[in-house]
Amino acid sequence: MIIRTKNLNKVYRTDEVQTTALNDLSIEINQGEFVSIMGPSGCGKSTLMNILGMIDSPSSGEYFFMENEVGGLSERKRSDVRKNNLGFVFQSFNLIDELTVFENVELPMMYTKVPSAERKKRTEALLEEMNMMHRRNHFPQQLSGGQQQRVAVARAIVNNPKLILADEPTGNLDSANGDDVMKILADLNSKGTTIVMVTHSQYCAEFGNRIIRLLDGQVVTENVVRQFL
């Protein structure tokens, strides 16, 4: 089991309004699964992803990552767990404009203190795999959306994370580039990487082996697309 949440709640409060984003949400995800999360806007998908990614903390309830309770950790400790175990892929790519393609992919390894020679080796290998080596010295603004997302995926996996969190990874791409990105994610999953993906696309969701649908901060249905072995 890589992820387990128990009665997870997230409440946002202002002086006048209280909004419940997650409502006693409990899910379990096995190591090596590819789980798609769907639901209408405002159902709690992004809030859940932020908590699973240890970017935010729940108001109450428990979050176990690899059997360790992490929901109540300090930001510093969450950051340590995050940088050593998680990779993120966003709809808006989130590349750093001032860094080249090579530097964007290399950056996560600097945070985990990977030696320079190893950083170079891993970055070059991934850029070759993503068919982006010829763009290694280009900046994000010089790339197409599909190329930027390939770089973003390379950056997400360069530290060999146990879990990839993908938030609408095809949302800003045309169908052909979106299909390419989904095939890359499916291939990573086939090699053992756990993937949790938020999507509005039924087509993309069916690349996973299970689809969880949220509504009003709760799980309303879970459907098995293909049996997880």
Side-chain angles (χ1 to χ4, degrees):
M1 190 77 61
I2 192 167
I3 286 173
R4 178 163 61 93
T5 72
K6 185 177 179 182
N7 302 123
L8 214 58
N9 290 282
K10 183 64 179 181
V11 179
Y12 296 100
R13 293 183 176 88
T14 66
D15 291 341
E16 300 175 356
V17 180
Q18 176 173 300
T19 303
T20 299
L22 297 178
N23 187 3
D24 278 341
L25 187 144
S26 299
I27 61 171
E28 293 184 351
I29 296 174
N30 290 307
Q31 193 151 355
E33 270 199 285
F34 187 154
V35 175
S36 302
I37 298 175
M38 302 189 75
S41 296
C43 72
K45 301 188 301 296
S46 294
T47 300
L48 176 60
M49 290 291 270
N50 284 340
I51 290 174
L52 296 183
M54 299 173 221
I55 295 167
D56 200 357
S57 297
S59 301
S60 63
E62 297 173 295
Y63 170 27
F64 294 88
F65 178 74
M66 301 189 70
E67 305 303 334
N68 297 307
E69 211 290 319
V70 296
L73 293 179
S74 67
E75 167 53 29
R76 182 174 180 178
K77 289 183 178 178
R78 288 204 313 269
S79 177
D80 287 340
V81 177
R82 191 167 60 232
K83 69 185 180 183
N84 288 301
N85 296 284
L86 305 185
F88 297 87
V89 182
F90 302 95
Q91 177 177 349
S92 55
F93 317 132
N94 283 23
L95 300 175
I96 298 174
D97 289 340
E98 295 77 19
L99 299 182
T100 64
V101 163
F102 188 96
E103 291 166 339
N104 266 284
V105 176
E106 181 188 34
L107 186 62
M109 292 183 286
M110 299 177 78
Y111 294 134
T112 52
K113 297 181 170 56
V114 175
S116 176
E118 177 66 13
R119 294 201 307 266
K120 183 175 185 290
K121 179 181 174 183
R122 281 198 219 170
T123 302
E124 289 180 346
L126 271 178
L127 290 178
E128 287 283 4
E129 188 176 333
M130 298 290 168
N131 195 27
M132 288 298 297
M133 194 61 176
H134 64 298
R135 297 284 197 175
R136 59 175 292 163
N137 294 320
H138 289 223
F139 292 92
Q141 309 95 305
Q142 297 172 300
L143 307 178
S144 68
Q147 289 171 332
Q148 288 188 61
Q149 196 61 298
R150 284 172 180 270
V151 176
V153 172
R155 180 187 59 186
I157 66 176
V158 74
N159 269 330
N160 301 313
K162 296 178 177 66
L163 171 67
I164 289 178
L165 297 173
D167 192 354
E168 294 284 359
T170 66
N172 282 338
L173 304 177
D174 59 41
S175 57
N177 280 305
D179 209 39
D180 286 345
V181 168
M182 289 310 306
K183 287 174 181 174
I184 290 169
L185 292 176
D187 183 57
L188 288 169
N189 177 246
S190 73
K191 295 173 182 175
T193 303
T194 307
I195 296 176
V196 179
M197 177 183 70
V198 161
T199 182
H200 281 102
S201 164
Q202 182 69 30
Y203 171 76
C204 292
E206 290 178 1
F207 276 82
N209 56 274
R210 183 156 53 107
I211 301 174
I212 297 174
R213 295 181 188 273
L214 303 185
L215 183 66
D216 297 332
Q218 297 177 308
V219 174
V220 288
T221 62
E222 289 194 42
N223 302 108
V224 175
V225 178
R226 62 184 61 82
Q227 201 63 41
F228 172 67
L229 300 178

